[in-house]
Amino acid sequence: DGANDTWLIQWRGDLSPENYVIDVYNPGGGRVYQMNPIISTWTGENLPDGVYWWVLKDLMTGEVILAGGVTIRRR
């Protein structure tokens, strides 16, 4: 329907996206996508509908900065 078709990733001005990576996991814990370098929008490409979990990590330290869920539903 053209609404909410992309995940918009916004950065604070004092952070550099190239220093981070986002891994996306399926409900079984398998990594299905890695965003490196991080882009500003993501559509889920060819992933099937479902709930996925994402983890934002600092590339220098490996520290998890943020984590959350994203739902893909194209119907």
Side-chain angles (χ1 to χ4, degrees):
D1 66 1
N4 301 313
D5 289 345
T6 60
W7 178 24
L8 175 63
I9 300 166
Q10 298 178 326
W11 289 95
R12 294 188 334 223
D14 61 333
L15 296 177
S16 299
E18 64 271 4
N19 294 331
Y20 301 89
V21 63
I22 294 177
D23 290 318
V24 180
Y25 298 91
N26 64 22
R31 186 173 71 192
V32 295
Y33 184 73
Q34 184 175 70
M35 193 181 303
N36 183 9
I38 294 177
I39 54 177
S40 59
T41 59
W42 183 64
T43 62
E45 286 106 27
N46 297 319
L47 294 174
D49 289 5
V51 176
Y52 294 85
W53 302 100
W54 58 268
V55 177
L56 172 69
K57 293 181 188 173
D58 183 311
L59 282 174
M60 300 289 224
T61 65
E63 176 185 1
V64 172
I65 306 298
L66 287 172
V70 60
T71 300
I72 296 175
R73 192 174 98 194
R74 295 186 177 90
R75 296 181 215 125

